[in-house]
Amino acid sequence: MAMTPKVLLVNDDGPPGPESPYVYGLYKHLIKDLGWEVKVVIPSSQKSWIGKSYHITEIAQGRYFYPREPDGLQGETSPVPRGRTDGTDEWILLDSTPASCTNISLHNLYPGEIDLVISGPNFGRNTSAAFSLSSGTIGGAMCGALSRTRAIAISYGSVYRVTPTEWIELAHLLVMRIIKHLWEHWGRDARNGKVDLYSVNVPMIPRLATPDGLDTYWAFTWRNSYGRLFRAVEESKGRTGVLSFEWGPDLGPLVSPDVSTLPIGSDGWAFSMGHATVTPLMACFAEAESGEETDSSREPRLFKF
């Protein structure tokens, strides 16, 4: 029987609100359904698409946040801890990135106390290389893995403009089962102990509310790419040659790919099929093979021109 972990919950969407609709619910389910102790340290504002970056020239200012039932949208903040004498939850908001929240938590706030980092749930999918390598959610989990702490990134992929509350609750329940299983069977999936973190993706679709729910598949990362992420600000004003750009990604090929082009078994393929996915990851850039004949002894190899 696996021990009960002490959990650090981080995200990249910030405190509960329209851009961060899932973190409070997941927090409550971790406590009530699994009975786990959870510390919450999250960015004070939206930090999506920031990857595993750190602020190295700014001081990471923080404050305590006391979210109120039923959804955490309301609450008080304080520059110093006021304790939990009234039974409220105590979170920490940092003016920094998800990865910074993780590192500060593991090494400054709760050194030696955290067994598992859970990052998310992200407001949007993190399937494929293009999304994963840009994700602050996966960045927060990756930072935990680089500090030799088990980590799981959770992402809820929006498909419809409005996601019913019922689907959100069902997604939380599915993720509770996945998280519990991963914690109790960490690395026992024939990968020789090479798993540093997992990325979990749940499509927010009507099938969540059916009797059978979603199937969950092991998946590998779809190696895709993206094109334009920024647009020239002045183009719409009829001016050219001005160096001014704003965020305006063309995400069509990423979120609506031709299914026939997706590798079967990849996270992109499984998401398009309406399946939840679990992708084992290592905290490193994957090495590409050199193409030269070699054995598996991993002896040093001379670069041959």
Side-chain angles (χ1 to χ4, degrees), residues 125-299:
R125 75 189 74 179
N126 274 312
T127 54
S128 81
F131 282 132
S132 297
L133 290 172
S134 307
S135 168
T137 298
I138 292 181
M142 188 74 71
C143 178
L146 286 171
S147 288
R148 300 186 180 276
T149 304
R150 295 176 179 180
I152 302 172
I154 308 292
S155 302
Y156 293 173
S158 302
V159 177
Y160 298 90
R161 185 175 296 275
V162 177
T163 300
T165 302
E166 177 190 9
W167 299 1
I168 298 173
E169 284 301 303
L170 292 169
H172 288 329
L173 293 175
L174 173 59
V175 163
M176 288 304 102
R177 294 174 56 201
I178 293 173
I179 289 174
K180 185 174 186 291
H181 180 86
L182 292 177
W183 172 253
E184 293 177 348
H185 302 83
W186 195 272
R188 300 179 197 169
D189 53 10
R191 289 175 173 81
N192 300 319
K194 293 182 178 180
V195 178
D196 295 318
L197 69 154
Y198 292 96
S199 177
V200 177
N201 280 274
V202 178
M204 305 300 278
I205 56 177
R207 196 184 305 168
L208 277 165
T210 63
D212 293 334
L214 300 185
D215 290 326
T216 302
Y217 280 76
W218 291 106
F220 60 88
T221 301
W222 171 35
R223 291 183 60 191
N224 64 345
S225 58
Y226 44 54
R228 178 185 57 78
L229 296 178
F230 297 85
R231 58 173 172 251
V233 174
E234 299 298 330
E235 283 184 359
S236 62
K237 300 179 181 179
R239 299 171 60 190
T240 59
V242 178
L243 297 178
S244 181
F245 304 90
E246 64 182 353
W247 182 250
D250 176 14
L251 297 182
L254 300 183
V255 299
S256 301
D258 181 349
V259 177
S260 67
T261 66
L262 298 175
I264 295 176
S266 69
D267 54 4
W269 168 85
F271 190 95
S272 294
M273 294 293 101
H275 305 312
T277 60
V278 179
T279 301
L281 298 171
M282 294 189 296
C284 67
F285 286 105
E287 298 177 26
E289 292 296 330
S290 68
E292 298 178 11
E293 292 293 329
T294 182
D295 58 29
S296 59
S297 63
R298 301 291 291 180
E299 291 293 325

